[in-house]
Amino acid sequence: MTQRLVRHLTLAAAVAVVAAGATPADEPKGKAKHPANRLAKESSPYLLQHAHNPVDWYPWGTEAFEKARREGKLVFLSIGYSSCHWCHVMERETFSNPEIAKILNANFICIKVDREERPDVDDVYMTALNVTGDSGGWPLSMFLTPDGKPIFGGTYFPPKDKKVGDDVQMGFPSVLARVQELYTKEKDGIFKQADRIAELTNDSLARNTRFQLVGPLTREMVAESAGAYEVDPVHGGTGSKEKEFRGTKFPRAAVWGFLLHHATRTKDQKLAGQVKLTLRQMALGGIYDHLGGGFHRYSTERTWTVPHFEKMLYDNGQLVELYAEAFRTDPDPLYRRVVAETLAFVAREMTSPEGVFYSALDADTEGEEGAFYVWTGEEIAKALGNAADTEFVKTVYGIGAPNFEGKAHVLRLPKPLAGIASDLKITEAQLLERLAPLRARLLDARERRTKPFLDRKVITSWNGLMIAGYAKAGEVFREPAYSAAAAKAADFLLRTLRTPDGRLKRLYAAVPGEKAAPRGNAFLEDYAYLTHGLLNLHDATGEKRWLDEARALADTAAKWHADDARGGFYFTAHDHEKLFARAKEGYDGATPSGNGVMARNLVRLATKTNDAKYRDLAGKSLRAFGGMLRTSPGSAPSTARALDHWLDVTAKESVAVDPPPSPKAPRESADVVKATVTVAEPDKNGSRRFGVRLAITAPYHVYSNQILNKSLDGSKTTFAAFVGGKEIDTVQTFPLGDVVKDAGGDYRIYTDGTTFGGVLPAGVNPADVEFRVRVIACREGTCLLPSTLRVRP
């Protein structure tokens, strides 16, 4: 039954993901407003957007699950956020449809969650979707048992079946009918499936700290992390060289902040050039708002030209800090301008009267993505009213053929302003002087359009990132107004969103008709990001109170979130609502991991206070994620950056960073893996076959080159042949290896006696060849340090 359910419903999930790039169905015209449901009493703008659906929504809580258990119904869980384009589409097409609502209300208990209010719920169920083979996205649509365990899920579901090529894309009513049919006929089977998915989810969430590091924390781990990224040599940003860097690009501020730090520390000019290229191309591209300032969410294509238009506070806070840090090492006027314009945008559009910061600006205007930001040639001409000015603006922004949906223009700079000025035979200062009033006129015309929805909830963690950005800008540019803005926001948060016992609240938001108030328990990221902001404020102002407040928050986070036994910090507090899984996240995505930021906070506190407890707590946390840095070095740049700082501190203090290992205990993979090479006589073409045999001490194994599990790509066995220190081309062949069934996903391994090989080209003397075999040896629960085995025939 389980296989039939997955096979039948996975198609719907897969097609639903594809559908996220399709054109949505027409919105019903003149639809009547349905009476308010329970969500009308919530403070979340996203939930309030669904308050007049005919769906009988519940907010997340015990009431909904108790009703599901009492009535013997499955739960339908829908997770999204206020500025999510496809969340809006599904709300209009599906949840506003009375017939679909009737099916939902009769057969399911329906729960709506704002992922920005409850990132813990979102993380657990998104992971559950991921372990079933779906990459996921929002809106996240999950079917659960009455106890909250996941059965099946997808993302966007259209309101009716569609023919897509040779397949039929299941509409939401068909999905509901199929789930209900299976629940009626094969209830025991789908509950067993839910138990299995819950186990997989737990295992996946534990994977970051599953392998305990054997051996010391080293600078080589930092270098491996810095070398883990493929950087687009033309447009900057990270991506896949194999795919020619096509597809979406995200700013990934944590990556570039780490690489900037590493390039500066090691004086790596190539890496510094990659950072500069990326920061420049983002600032020139359409992902940057050239009229209003600030960055959009991400680029939909390689060149940073066409963005997804939502503007998130967390992106802009991180990017302000990044560009300010970059200016300190490379005083490029472009960086200063980006920081000034972005902070002007935040002050104008995203700052509350109390001085704290709102969450997000929507991508859509009246159901049309990007409508507020894009221009036609006629609109530009009308706004400027002068042919010469219009031509000048079109030259500056490279406006030719439409670059957005074949009909409009996303403004971008085709080259740096100095180059454009040179083409126009004027100075850059003259260009800026002429452009400034024209930009103001265009911005004024844009301001008369219908504005995107502004999500006015105040999130502690995101405010921490914006405080950090303002404070860093104040420090680098010696601008007291920036530091004052950071201090005003920090004062409000500490005064209003902190309980008498020193614990933080997650949100400051209002139920309709009521005043805003603190709401929800804080998560690790709330403590980590705000502490980071306070430490930046201390750097900028030197005022002791910011250091004292940072120290207090770090102590509170350690009390309520630290894993005293294994190191690291849990995302939720020890007394938080217990879900079926609990995360200790280390991956840096759109926002950095709470563990990475907290580790760096602790190192900074150790430096500033000379209190060894912060150094030791940081070291314990870094060791917990050491295995992750070894096996997936590009996944945790904020942790790698914290490790680099920690190694500096321990070196200065002559601290014994790790206990000396037992002489008999293996530390590196080379301690348990040996390689030998044999080379055959040349064939008629002069080529020679060779074989590499691995001798692996039990119970260790190494990962197959054909690893099967993409999350372990960085751990697979590889080899190369070198002559005179230079790599030569060889034909390589690898066996598949043995499959290991693992709760976190199957993978392949090599054991003792595994042989692989290839062909040396004609004319190469085997005596001149050095074979280098890279392996990571692991056994249950433990991986050794990677080794490169150097062998000769």
Side-chain angles (χ1 to χ4, degrees):
M1 189 292 307
T2 297
Q3 289 180 342
R4 289 205 303 276
L5 176 69
V6 172
R7 184 165 59 247
H8 189 91
L9 291 179
T10 297
L11 173 62
V15 175
V17 174
V18 174
T23 302
D26 291 337
E27 183 176 358
K29 303 297 182 184
K31 61 182 180 183
K33 193 172 186 180
H34 192 274
N37 57 42
R38 293 174 188 80
L39 302 185
K41 297 180 180 180
E42 296 297 309
S43 63
S44 159
Y46 174 65
L47 268 56
L48 290 169
Q49 289 166 358
H50 295 75
H52 290 276
N53 293 161
V55 177
D56 188 17
W57 290 115
Y58 284 79
W60 180 271
T62 56
E63 182 184 3
F65 287 102
E66 286 175 356
K67 184 177 176 66
R69 285 191 287 269
R70 188 169 59 249
E71 298 183 3
K73 292 181 177 179
L74 296 180
V75 171
F76 171 65
L77 173 65
S78 176
I79 302 177
Y81 56 103
S82 66
S83 56
C84 164
H85 171 70
W86 284 96
C87 299
H88 298 327
V89 173
M90 197 163 179
E91 188 278 327
R92 293 194 302 267
E93 292 182 342
T94 304
F95 301 138
S96 295
N97 185 311
E99 295 304 314
I100 294 176
K102 187 182 297 184
I103 301 171
L104 279 168
N105 296 339
N107 299 289
F108 301 89
I109 302 302
C110 302
I111 299 177
K112 177 64 72 172
V113 169
D114 183 340
R115 68 178 296 262
E116 295 169 357
E117 286 193 344
R118 291 300 302 267
D120 58 325
V121 174
D122 177 65
D123 186 34
V124 165
Y125 288 105
M126 184 62 75
T127 303
L129 183 64
N130 295 157
V131 300
T132 63
D134 194 319
S135 60
W138 296 275
L140 174 59
S141 305
M142 297 292 294
F143 294 90
L144 317 177
T145 68
D147 291 328
K149 291 183 179 179
I151 300 167
F152 154 76
T155 52
Y156 163 79
F157 291 108
K160 57 186 178 181
D161 295 352
K162 285 183 180 179
K163 184 81 170 175
V164 180
D166 295 330
D167 294 318
V168 174
Q169 175 185 348
M170 293 176 69
F172 197 48
S174 297
V175 173
L176 296 176
R178 181 59 178 153
V179 172
Q180 187 60 22
E181 177 189 358
L182 289 166
Y183 180 53
T184 302
K185 295 180 178 179
E186 304 185 50
K187 181 177 178 179
D188 289 345
I190 64 172
F191 273 53
K192 287 179 181 178
Q193 171 164 311
D195 289 340
R196 176 59 176 155
I197 294 175
E199 290 175 8
L200 291 170
T201 303
N202 261 300
D203 188 78
S204 180
L205 290 171
R207 183 177 288 276
N208 289 341
T209 55
R210 181 177 173 190
F211 295 113
Q212 290 295 295
L213 182 69
V214 176
L217 295 162
T218 66
R219 202 75 74 174
E220 287 74 17
M221 296 167 68
V222 180
E224 284 181 2
S225 295
Y229 304 100
E230 292 185 326
V231 179
D232 186 336
V234 178
H235 300 286
T238 58
S240 169
K241 183 178 180 181
E242 183 180 352
K243 297 178 181 178
E244 297 179 331
F245 299 98
R246 293 188 298 269
T248 56
K249 276 186 178 173
F250 289 81
R252 304 193 71 185
V255 170
W256 298 107
F258 164 57
L259 294 182
L260 174 66
H261 160 80
H262 189 70
T264 303
R265 186 185 184 284
T266 61
K267 297 180 172 55
D268 186 332
Q269 295 303 310
K270 179 182 178 181
L271 184 58
Q274 291 173 331
V275 175
K276 184 178 181 68
L277 171 67
T278 298
L279 297 189
R280 185 186 69 199
Q281 292 302 111
M282 285 198 299
L284 299 182
I287 192 174
Y288 183 71
D289 182 353
H290 291 275
L291 297 183
F295 288 86
H296 298 293
R297 179 68 195 88
Y298 61 86
S299 175
T300 61
E301 42 68 61
R302 178 184 180 184
T303 68
W304 306 104
T305 296
V306 180
H308 179 51
F309 288 93
E310 63 190 332
K311 285 184 172 181
M312 308 301 295
L313 181 68
Y314 59 73
D315 283 320
N316 285 282
Q318 291 179 90
L319 289 168
V320 163
E321 182 174 11
L322 174 60
Y323 277 86
E325 287 183 325
F327 184 88
R328 180 152 57 189
T329 59
D330 175 18
D332 188 330
L334 174 64
Y335 300 161
R336 180 192 289 272
R337 180 165 59 83
V338 165
V339 169
E341 291 176 357
T342 300
L343 291 179
F345 151 70
V346 171
R348 183 180 68 248
E349 303 285 347
M350 300 191 74
T351 302
S352 77
E354 300 90 347
V356 283
F357 309 110
Y358 299 134
S359 297
L361 273 167
D362 208 334
D364 294 11
T365 304
E366 298 179 329
E368 187 176 347
E369 182 172 6
F372 181 74
Y373 297 101
V374 300
W375 296 83
T376 64
E378 293 75 16
E379 287 172 333
I380 292 173
K382 182 179 179 181
L384 296 176
N386 178 289
D389 288 342
T390 298
E391 194 60 33
F392 178 75
V393 164
K394 287 184 175 181
T395 299
V396 170
Y397 293 113
I399 295 175
N403 59 19
F404 182 71
E405 297 183 349
K407 61 183 180 182
H409 303 276
V410 179
L411 300 186
R412 65 156 297 145
L413 296 172
K415 62 175 72 172
L417 288 176
I420 298 171
S422 178
D423 293 343
L424 294 171
K425 295 182 170 45
I426 57 177
T427 66
E428 185 175 350
Q430 289 171 324
L431 185 149
L432 286 169
E433 184 178 4
R434 183 175 177 187
L435 184 62
L438 303 182
R439 287 179 62 230
R441 265 189 267 169
L442 290 173
L443 182 60
D444 182 65
R446 195 177 82 175
E447 287 294 300
R448 291 194 290 272
R449 299 174 178 176
T450 301
K451 286 191 171 185
F453 173 77
L454 173 63
D455 187 336
R456 295 177 182 270
K457 70 175 176 287
V458 173
I459 299 176
T460 300
S461 60
W462 298 4
N463 269 255
L465 293 175
M466 196 70 245
I467 289 167
Y470 259 115
K472 184 60 64 177
E475 177 195 1
V476 171
F477 298 109
R478 299 181 182 179
E479 177 49 71
Y482 294 159
S483 299
K488 185 176 181 179
D491 273 329
F492 181 88
L493 294 178
L494 294 170
R495 184 175 66 251
T496 310
L497 275 81
R498 187 164 54 172
T499 63
D501 63 351
R503 300 179 71 176
L504 293 174
K505 305 298 282 185
R506 170 69 174 176
L507 302 163
Y508 184 71
V511 171
E514 299 180 12
K515 291 184 178 180
R519 299 178 187 277
N521 297 325
F523 301 98
L524 174 61
E525 66 177 32
D526 296 300
Y527 288 97
Y529 298 176
L530 183 53
T531 301
H532 172 58
L534 297 177
L535 290 171
N536 278 13
L537 256 174
H538 182 250
D539 289 342
T541 66
E543 294 179 23
K544 183 176 180 294
R545 63 172 177 144
W546 301 124
L547 179 59
D548 292 341
E549 296 287 16
R551 190 170 189 170
L553 287 185
D555 290 344
T556 303
K559 178 180 179 180
W560 291 103
H561 291 263
D563 181 347
D564 294 330
R566 294 175 61 86
F569 295 80
Y570 289 106
F571 189 72
T572 55
H574 300 317
D575 61 348
H576 190 79
E577 172 193 2
K578 298 298 186 286
L579 304 177
F580 72 87
R582 190 183 186 194
K584 192 196 289 184
E585 41 85 33
Y587 174 76
D588 293 327
T591 55
S593 77
N595 272 287
V597 176
M598 186 56 77
R600 186 172 167 223
N601 290 339
L602 293 169
V603 177
R604 295 172 74 187
L605 282 169
T607 303
K608 289 172 178 287
T609 66
N610 292 316
D611 190 333
K613 76 174 183 181
Y614 296 118
R615 179 202 66 213
D616 295 342
L617 187 57
K620 190 173 183 179
S621 185
L622 290 167
R623 174 164 286 285
F625 288 91
M628 183 181 184
L629 288 177
R630 280 298 194 190
T631 59
S632 185
S635 63
S638 61
T639 300
R641 185 173 183 179
L643 173 57
D644 212 23
H645 285 295
W646 184 81
L647 290 168
D648 287 339
V649 170
T650 54
K652 289 178 182 177
E653 297 180 6
S654 300
V655 174
V657 299
D658 289 288
S662 164
K664 296 182 180 179
R667 297 176 57 190
E668 299 185 5
S669 296
D671 294 336
V672 297
V673 183
K674 306 299 179 187
T676 55
V677 179
T678 57
V679 180
E681 292 298 318
D683 60 19
K684 63 181 180 181
N685 298 316
S687 301
R688 295 174 183 261
R689 292 190 173 276
F690 63 88
V692 179
R693 186 180 187 279
L694 298 180
I696 305 172
T697 302
Y700 287 93
H701 64 262
V702 299
Y703 291 103
S704 167
N705 179 267
Q706 314 295 312
I707 202 161
L708 194 65
N709 189 324
K710 287 186 177 180
S711 68
L712 296 172
D713 266 353
S715 305
K716 66 185 181 183
T717 298
T718 61
F719 77 84
F722 289 78
V723 173
K726 294 183 179 180
E727 185 175 355
I728 62 173
D729 291 331
T730 57
V731 176
Q732 299 185 0
T733 57
F734 288 91
L736 292 178
D738 301 324
V739 174
V740 174
K741 300 288 186 180
D742 187 273
D746 299 348
Y747 56 91
R748 295 192 181 107
I749 64 170
Y750 296 148
T751 53
D752 184 45
T754 297
T755 299
F756 46 84
V759 179
L760 289 175
V764 174
N765 184 349
D768 296 333
V769 180
E770 178 184 74
F771 294 86
R772 301 179 188 177
V773 185
R774 185 182 186 274
V775 293
I776 295 180
C778 299
R779 57 180 174 82
E780 183 63 31
T782 301
C783 288
L784 304 180
L785 299 177
S787 294
T788 299
L789 312 175
R790 298 171 182 248
V791 292
R792 292 181 179 273

